[in-house]
Amino acid sequence: MRTDTLRDFRVPVNEPGPYAPPADRTAERASDRPGETDGYGDYPVYFDDHVPAQPHAVHPAYASKPSGHPLAGPGAPTGYPDPQTVPRQRTATAHADDRPDEHVVDHAVDHPLEPDDGYTPTQRDLPVIGRVAPIGGPGDTVQVHYVPEEQAPAGPGPLYVVGDVHGYLDELVTELHAQRLIDADGHWSAGNARLWFLGDFTDRGPDGIGVIDLVMRLSAEAAAAGGYCKALMGNHELLLIGAKRFGDTPIHSNAGTATFQAAWLLNGGQRTDMERLEDVHLQWMSRLDAATLEDGHLLLHSDTTAYLDYGDSIEDVNDTIHELLNRNDADITWDLFRKFTKRFAFRDEGGPQAVRELLDTYGGARVVHGHSPIPYLLGEVGAEDGDESRGPEAVDGPHVYAEGLAIAMDGGVTMAGKLLVVQLPLSD
């Protein structure tokens, strides 16, 4: 089933009209880098009001266990430094149409070849594949399996990266198991391997909190085995943090008056995730780094050069973003979200130079990022001539582009594409 695609990252407004910044705020820095998307209008909304709620199909690794089983909850420890049981009972998913009185500013550009103020739109919208978001399911917790120190291999192990998950827990478990990073029961089985998630754990898919719980647990299990499992902050982490902290607090942006709560719902926010979101999840998300360098790979979430606005080293970027989030200011958090929603800086003619600017500043030989789905980068989805021969289902691996300097890792799982888990360096 195909439904109309709503234009990207729509921003709800209560007061339509041009942006008028408060007198005590300096003008926002305009994007001065060619080919980069600025602000909103750059991500489709993947949810369908007409898809009925279905019972949640629990992955075998997280199914209810018999009494006495080592994975049985509710008293089993989670393995996170602050153990607690996360309730799994969920209610129906809410959609943007639940708020008919809200208006939306759509910053779609009518002609894809005429960028406005540095915004480079995609040439086509993505189709919406009618995937059902499972609802409901039993609650359980899991137990960390520690490897005795003498069994832990010495030295760094192989490096793996994971693209955007967006709440698709079952697909994530399947891919991690296929790469032998976890066993059949969902526990870390990769010894001293190194695993990096590139961000965007929640929204659009059915179980974002389940994804976060899994990554948190694997972090403890991997460390105990001599490896590690770490994660970067994506724009959807910033969106969820903002929705929880600031709700319907008005924010004055260049799109009018917006709120985090409405923007979160319009961009795939799941009420079941919000109901299960706890302080431990917020603390974990707010402490995530924005960038890291591993084996000559500069790992980022977004394909944007906005990172350069926050420091001349990876350490400075991460420290600055953490400090800004700790201010607990709605406008500051919104500005972070806005900048890391930008995309396509590495695409088209100016892409290689944009990548080199990041590599020259932060180090590394290649940028590895998520954020922009590969079918979207290729512009091979939703063609006007109806040719879908190279749609999301055709994605079977990362996309190397920008003269070989950039690797895109978002396989488009929200569009019935593929959730990518790959080992670096690539064999290309």
Side-chain angles (χ1 to χ4, degrees), residues 135-148:
I135 302 297
D140 64 280
T141 57
V142 291
Q143 181 179 5
V144 175
H145 286 200
Y146 289 95
V147 176

Side-chain angles (χ1 to χ4, degrees), residues 5-9 37 40-46 108-109 119-127 204 303 341 343-344 347-348 369-382 390-392 395 399 401 408 410-412 414-415:
T5 298
L6 302 179
R7 288 296 293 197
D8 316 326
F9 259 126
T37 320
Y40 321 104
D42 63 353
Y43 208 76
V45 179
Y46 302 114
V109 179
Y119 168 68
T120 302
T122 56
Q123 297 192 10
R124 304 176 180 89
D125 282 340
L126 290 167
R204 299 196 175 96
D303 45 330
T341 298
R343 64 179 76 251
F344 302 142
R347 198 181 65 170
D348 303 326
H369 70 85
H371 189 48
S372 293
I374 292 171
Y376 215 31
L377 280 168
L378 295 175
E380 295 173 347
V381 175
R390 299 185 66 183
V395 174
H399 172 50
Y401 68 116
D410 185 348
T414 59
M415 299 178 292

